[in-house]
Amino acid sequence: MQQMQRDFGRPGRSALIAGEAAIATSHPLASAAGLEVLMDGGNAVDAALAAVAVQCVVEAHMTGIGGDCFVLYAPAGQDALALNGSGRAPRAASAEALAAQGLAAIPQRSPHAVTVPGAISAWCRLHAEHGSLPLDRLFARAILYAEEGYPVAPRVAWDWAEEAGFLAGDAGCRAVFLPGGRIPAVGDRHVQLLLGARLRDIAARGAAAFYEGAVAESLVRFLRAQGGLHTLEDFAAGREVANWVDPIRLDYRGTEVVECPPNGQGLAALMILGLLSGQDMAAEMPEADRIHLHAEATKIAYHHRDALICDPDHLPHDPRTLLSEEVLGALRRRVDPKRAGRPALWTEPEHRDTVYLCVVDRDGNAVSFINSIFDSFGAGLLDPETGVLLHSRGSSFRVEPGHPNAIGPGKRPMHTIIPGLLRRDGRTAGVFGVMGGHYQAAGQAQFVSSIIDRGLDPQAALDLPRSFAFDGELQLEPRVGEAVAAELAGRGHTVAIRDEPLGGGQAILIDHERGVLVAGSDPRKDGCALGI
């Protein structure tokens, strides 16, 4: 990373430089809660749990205890560990049964979009094995904001207003998220009393408070009343769903990029980088060339993602196969540096909403943490007895018998959420993540290339205008500029200028030589990086 000097005469923010510890989240109250824990002697895991609990209250449209979670954790001086906290479909679920109901896909507002949430299983396992302060201390700020209220932040209010009609379609959502029959405005105080009670229960009794007893019984009743197939046995099994798995990795120009393996889409991020590694992506590359190559790599990687990524017990290929030089080399030959192409699988003949946070503590422990309910406000199903808003991750399943990602008994769906981590010279060099549903893998690859190929600091890399080749379009943020957009259209891309920002992100890089942390927080969100 080069020493970057921004133009102080233009709007923007500097990268955070901290000497001991740092945290970056998408909401200032979450960053402050995590920093408070670090200052009280808590470690990186403690700070991450304190921050994400606050986000479940103050960014409820993006995340919640009724969602899923993935974590990369690198203890000081050790290699990274990957924790899969994604939930499983009910044992009675099957593609055949849903197809017989006439479903060609699982809609957002559907009980079939709700797998048994895995977040609390992941939180409690991570805390039991690597935390240091008790959960009631870590959840204190979140409980305070839930029970006494918090002021609604600007980006949260903007996102919330977009979902007014959707929220009105569920009685539980109307009661909690349309208080007085309207969306809260910026600065209005919002309360979630039942969510505060749930956090108190979990702090006192751990994961059992969510997956067993009265809360589980209420959630099962609620889901079955909507036509769901969930049982108490499914929820009881969810208590132990979080499991440690071996990360997957790719060397990108001397830096090892570490991701969680499938069922997350981290494989797609590594494939994009592997395809770009055959190109000269130097800082002086023209912007149209850079966006074009990134788009072509993205299309190829996402084509493989959609066809192959699924529950790890059902993978048709070892993920490492797709990261081999043999496969990446063959795929690179399909990229025309001047024309948009059609993606193809390497086996073929030649011819959505989330919060991400990261923490590095004074001892060098590093956490890359992502928690999600997928769509904005998840499935739009809130159990009025427990106050739990349920996620919509199951909508990623296919309703095609025989597809690797077809819904089935106890299966995990393909996930878009992916924490990232960097290693260099045998040490953790940084933690990073990009929010934004399907954009995340493409966004991670752009971020890593910006750091390594262009020498940007984390804040400058997050500030850059973004592009995303997805679903037949090349989406561009307006700051890309008309001339670049016209050139890309001339290369055969179907260009679409977005009217809203692409994703968000947070990052902390570790400068071992100088003994400092360099952090950034995406300006597309309300959050910030803080440190000591």
Side-chain angles (χ1 to χ4, degrees):
M1 182 181 65
Q2 299 172 0
Q3 182 69 29
M4 302 303 295
Q5 179 73 43
R6 72 176 181 88
D7 183 348
F8 294 106
R10 299 171 67 91
R13 66 171 74 167
S14 302
L16 169 79
I17 311 295
E20 293 185 30
I23 181 169
T25 86
S26 53
H27 199 288
L29 295 181
S31 296
L35 184 69
E36 185 178 52
V37 166
L38 290 169
M39 295 178 71
D40 284 352
N43 63 22
V45 166
D46 296 326
L49 291 170
V52 76
V54 168
Q55 287 178 294
C56 288
V57 179
V58 302
E59 290 185 280
H61 65 301
M62 302 288 286
T63 195
I65 63 173
D68 282 348
C69 174
F70 284 82
V71 181
L72 287 169
Y73 174 55
Q78 300 180 40
D79 201 353
L81 309 168
L83 183 62
N84 184 332
S86 63
R88 297 182 181 274
R91 291 289 173 183
S94 72
E96 292 80 3
L98 297 190
Q101 296 179 23
L103 288 176
I106 299 174
Q108 176 184 355
R109 176 167 279 154
S110 165
H112 305 306
V114 183
T115 56
V116 176
I120 296 305
S121 175
W123 293 12
C124 290
R125 181 160 191 176
L126 184 65
H127 178 260
E129 298 179 17
H130 297 285
S132 66
L133 299 179
L135 284 176
D136 59 353
R137 166 64 189 87
L138 303 183
F139 292 172
R141 283 288 175 187
I143 292 169
L144 176 71
Y145 295 141
E147 295 181 343
E148 297 188 14
Y150 65 93
V152 175
R155 177 61 196 268
V156 172
W158 188 70
D159 289 338
W160 204 332
E162 295 288 310
E163 304 298 334
F166 179 67
L167 293 169
D170 176 75
C173 286
R174 284 198 305 274
V176 174
F177 297 119
L178 296 175
R182 66 174 184 86
I183 298 290
V186 175
D188 284 355
R189 297 189 73 83
H190 182 248
V191 174
Q192 295 188 66
L193 289 174
L194 285 174
L195 179 55
R198 298 290 74 74
L199 290 169
R200 287 186 182 277
D201 291 345
I202 295 164
R205 300 194 294 117
F210 186 88
Y211 296 102
E212 300 171 5
V215 170
E217 291 169 3
S218 180
L219 289 171
V220 168
R221 276 196 309 272
F222 175 71
L223 286 164
R224 291 188 74 88
Q226 312 290 324
L229 303 170
H230 309 72
T231 66
L232 288 174
E233 290 74 20
D234 292 326
F235 266 78
R239 179 176 176 179
E240 304 296 333
V241 74
N243 63 301
W244 295 104
V245 292
D246 292 330
I248 53 175
R249 308 157 187 269
L250 179 88
D251 184 280
Y252 187 71
R253 310 194 204 280
T255 296
E256 187 178 62
V257 186
V258 183
E259 299 280 353
C260 293
N263 52 315
Q265 66 167 334
L267 176 62
L270 297 184
M271 287 187 71
I272 297 170
L273 289 169
L275 293 167
L276 294 179
S277 68
Q279 306 286 344
D280 182 0
M281 305 292 289
E284 59 272 14
M285 170 180 274
E287 193 64 11
D289 289 346
R290 186 183 305 279
I291 292 173
H292 170 76
L293 290 173
H294 193 274
E296 295 304 289
T298 297
K299 288 191 291 186
I300 291 172
Y302 277 56
H303 195 48
H304 286 77
R305 181 199 77 159
D306 293 344
L308 303 175
I309 294 180
C310 61
D311 186 304
D313 293 335
H314 298 264
L315 283 170
H317 300 283
D318 185 325
R320 290 168 293 187
T321 301
L322 296 174
L323 300 176
S324 69
E325 186 53 35
E326 176 186 3
V327 171
L328 290 173
L331 292 174
R332 282 190 208 110
R333 290 193 290 273
R334 297 178 176 175
V335 175
D336 185 329
K338 295 300 180 184
R339 292 295 301 172
R342 183 181 66 85
L345 295 177
W346 70 273
T347 51
E348 291 175 349
E350 285 279 2
H351 38 97
R352 250 167 213 255
D353 289 317
T354 300
V355 296
Y356 171 80
L357 64 94
C358 49
V359 190
V360 178
D361 65 27
R362 58 176 54 83
D363 295 320
N365 302 302
V367 175
S368 187
F369 194 114
I370 201 157
N371 210 88
S372 174
I373 55 174
F374 196 25
D375 292 293
S376 187
F377 291 102
L381 298 173
L382 188 148
D383 175 20
E385 292 188 21
T386 64
V388 175
L389 176 67
L390 294 159
H391 70 105
S392 56
R393 279 290 162 191
S395 62
S396 291
F397 276 127
R398 300 293 190 95
V399 188
E400 302 168 26
H403 190 283
N405 191 38
I407 190 171
K411 283 182 70 174
R412 286 167 151 161
M414 188 275 286
H415 260 266
T416 57
I417 58 175
I418 46 172
L421 185 142
L422 303 175
R423 287 177 59 79
R424 194 177 297 119
D425 301 325
R427 299 186 292 188
T428 301
V431 279
F432 69 97
V434 176
M435 302 169 277
H438 292 289
Y439 173 68
Q440 291 181 49
Q444 280 201 5
Q446 179 182 349
F447 175 83
V448 171
S449 178
S450 299
I451 293 290
I452 295 174
D453 294 322
R454 305 176 75 171
L456 300 181
D457 66 48
Q459 189 61 58
L462 292 167
D463 288 350
L464 288 173
R466 290 177 175 153
S467 62
F468 184 30
F470 184 69
D471 200 21
E473 290 185 336
L474 178 54
Q475 302 172 22
L476 304 177
E477 290 187 329
R479 287 190 296 132
V480 169
E482 293 182 3
V484 173
E487 184 172 345
L488 290 165
R491 296 187 189 194
H493 294 283
T494 301
V495 172
I497 307 300
R498 288 179 60 92
D499 58 2
E500 61 183 50
L502 258 173
Q506 324 292 329
I508 304 171
L509 298 187
I510 304 171
D511 186 333
H512 291 284
E513 285 65 37
R514 294 190 294 169
V516 297
L517 305 172
V518 185
S521 181
D522 204 305
R524 297 164 182 83
K525 301 288 183 178
D526 296 308
C528 60
L530 298 173
I532 51 176

